Amino acid sequence: MSGNVCFSGRNFFMKKHNDIDFVIPWVDGSDPEWIAEFNKYAPKENRRETDAGEQRYRDYGLLRYWFRGVEKFAPWVRTVHFVTCGQKPDWLNLDAPKLHWVKHSDYIPQEYLPVFSSHPIELYMHKIPGLAEQFVYFNDDFFLTAPVEQDFFFRNGLPRDSAVMEVKSSGELPMLGINFNNLNIINAHFSKRSVMRKNFLKWLSPRYGRHLWKNISLLPWPKFCGFMNPHMPQPFTRSCIEEVWNHCPEKLEETMTRRFRSPFDVNQWLFRHWALCSGTFAPVHPAKGSRCFDLTDGNAAEIAGCIRSQTYKEIVINDSELNDFDTAMGKIRDAFEEILPDKSAFEK
């Protein structure tokens, strides 16, 4: 695609190669209007199955450091697509040259709104106006903490990723069901034997290190039984997502109709698995300079230390049950302030 694409009163020049965008959804779960809307639609029973817990929507108060990290450590990014239901932080500079504030209603059909599940937001993200062919999908708990180049995410136009198999046989709802739903679609559209034969060197790449043995041990299995899913920023191509929609629209549409997460959903990992099986990726070690933490009362200091040392290029701070949320966040916020003290162009 080339030419000028206009949205939000701003022209964005689209190139076929080298342009990489970031996409980040965000919600302020403390907003009274959002809470009222949430309670209006929230299921009164089976909340565990729908994953409608507080930590799913809790705001860390660290978003400004996400933007500062992008500006400082990935200055090459073309556009940041900031996706919300219409919310925006008071400090956000909507006139920032690289910012595109996207409301759900800008790209998700009205019949699916309002939505409180990330899955419809993710499944339709290829419809975001002006989105580049190559983009990286972030959660708001994924942070850049050291410089990254474009080839950290893409090589020769292909997402850098790891095709590592594993057995998905346990877990909790709704993710257990979602994993199986994704897997069923993959096995319905791909022959494992053909995939392995066509891209043998990508599936048995020495770049995977010790994880390579997972693939070797699972080679005899006739079908894919699961994939290792690193919890970190994920590179995608818009054309891959469109290909999945063209091949199995019914399964995706079913998920679009659900306002909350359900074990009957599929999610954005389906797009990633499709790219792996079609061979449209460049092999990289699953960790690739990243570290994922499940935040607890006991490890906040360790996380803060990793941020200060800038040992990793990416830090993921996954929310979990905390007794003292404010104290833990205070330690992490102080660490971010040390490495990212200056306001970014995304701030007023």
Side-chain angles (χ1 to χ4, degrees):
M1 180 183 294
S2 62
N4 290 327
V5 178
C6 182
F7 51 83
S8 298
R10 198 178 288 115
N11 288 328
F12 289 82
F13 187 69
M14 301 290 290
K15 295 181 180 179
K16 187 174 182 179
H17 300 292
N18 300 322
D19 283 338
I20 298 175
D21 289 354
F22 288 172
V23 174
I24 175 172
W26 179 78
V27 62
D28 179 3
S30 65
D31 176 15
E33 291 186 13
W34 183 90
I35 292 173
E37 191 83 346
F38 177 95
N39 289 332
K40 177 180 177 181
Y41 292 97
K44 301 301 184 285
E45 299 178 353
N46 299 323
R47 290 174 72 93
R48 176 176 174 272
E49 283 76 6
T50 58
D51 201 21
E54 175 189 358
Q55 67 270 21
R56 181 63 57 192
Y57 309 98
R58 181 158 52 188
D59 177 27
Y60 279 18
L62 301 176
L63 185 65
R64 68 177 72 238
Y65 299 108
W66 185 90
F67 280 103
R68 291 182 188 183
V70 168
E71 182 173 88
K72 183 174 182 178
F73 301 131
W76 44 261
V77 69
R78 191 197 66 144
T79 302
V80 173
H81 301 274
F82 180 60
V83 181
T84 78
C85 62
Q87 298 173 321
K88 58 183 183 296
D90 292 339
W91 50 263
L92 189 67
N93 176 19
L94 296 181
D95 294 322
K98 291 188 175 183
L99 180 67
H100 178 206
W101 177 39
V102 186
K103 296 179 283 296
H104 294 167
S105 58
D106 291 337
Y107 74 104
I108 299 176
Q110 188 61 42
E111 61 262 33
Y112 303 130
L113 299 176
V115 62
F116 305 94
S117 165
S118 63
H119 297 161
I121 296 168
E122 296 165 345
L123 295 186
Y124 237 67
M125 59 187 169
H126 63 299
K127 297 290 189 180
I128 292 174
L131 181 66
E133 164 65 9
Q134 300 170 39
F135 69 95
V136 184
Y137 179 70
F138 286 78
N139 291 159
D140 63 359
D141 55 359
F142 298 171
F143 301 92
L144 296 181
T145 53
V148 293
E149 301 297 332
Q150 289 180 316
D151 65 3
F152 183 78
F153 295 110
F154 290 91
R155 176 163 291 174
N156 298 323
L158 297 178
R160 299 196 71 190
D161 210 336
S162 51
V164 176
M165 294 182 286
E166 62 182 12
V167 178
K168 293 289 186 182
S169 60
S170 63
E172 296 183 355
L173 291 175
M175 287 310 302
L176 177 60
I178 293 166
N179 284 330
F180 276 117
N181 299 336
N182 292 339
L183 197 58
N184 286 337
I185 292 175
I186 289 298
N187 281 314
H189 288 85
F190 292 93
S191 161
K192 181 184 173 186
R193 181 174 298 177
S194 297
V195 167
M196 292 295 175
R197 184 169 57 246
K198 185 177 180 180
N199 291 292
F200 189 76
L201 295 180
K202 288 190 175 185
W203 286 86
L204 295 182
S205 172
R207 292 180 180 272
Y208 303 151
R210 61 183 176 84
H211 299 287
L212 177 59
W213 290 105
K214 295 181 180 180
N215 286 355
I216 294 174
S217 64
L218 291 172
L219 277 176
W221 289 47
K223 293 187 177 183
F224 291 107
C225 52
F227 302 91
M228 182 179 180
N229 292 320
H231 188 54
M232 60 182 65
Q234 179 63 40
F236 287 110
T237 60
R238 194 161 32 83
S239 55
C240 178
I241 297 177
E242 291 169 350
E243 181 179 338
V244 178
W245 270 95
N246 288 336
H247 281 83
C248 42
E250 296 84 3
K251 296 295 184 181
L252 299 175
E253 289 288 355
E254 287 178 18
T255 298
M256 293 296 299
T257 64
R258 301 187 184 100
R259 300 188 193 278
F260 294 88
R261 289 191 178 197
S262 162
F264 302 104
D265 288 352
V266 295
N267 70 357
Q268 49 100 1
W269 290 120
L270 175 61
F271 303 143
R272 174 178 176 261
H273 300 163
W274 193 283
L276 296 179
C277 291
S278 62
T280 53
F281 72 99
V284 69
H285 190 278
K288 68 168 187 178
S290 305
R291 179 77 183 272
C292 180
F293 291 94
D294 286 324
L295 177 62
T296 66
D297 295 291
N299 69 359
E302 179 188 1
I303 297 172
C306 284
I307 294 170
R308 288 189 177 93
S309 67
Q310 297 181 268
T311 303
Y312 303 98
K313 295 180 181 296
E314 301 170 328
I315 290 284
V316 178
I317 308 174
N318 195 37
D319 202 353
S320 58
E321 299 297 331
L322 285 167
N323 295 320
D324 193 345
F325 180 81
D326 292 337
T327 297
M329 283 297 104
K331 293 177 181 178
I332 293 170
R333 192 177 301 111
D334 289 345
F336 273 120
E337 188 64 29
E338 287 189 25
I339 69 167
L340 296 166
D342 300 323
K343 289 175 59 175
S344 71
F346 297 100
E347 299 172 69
K348 293 179 181 177

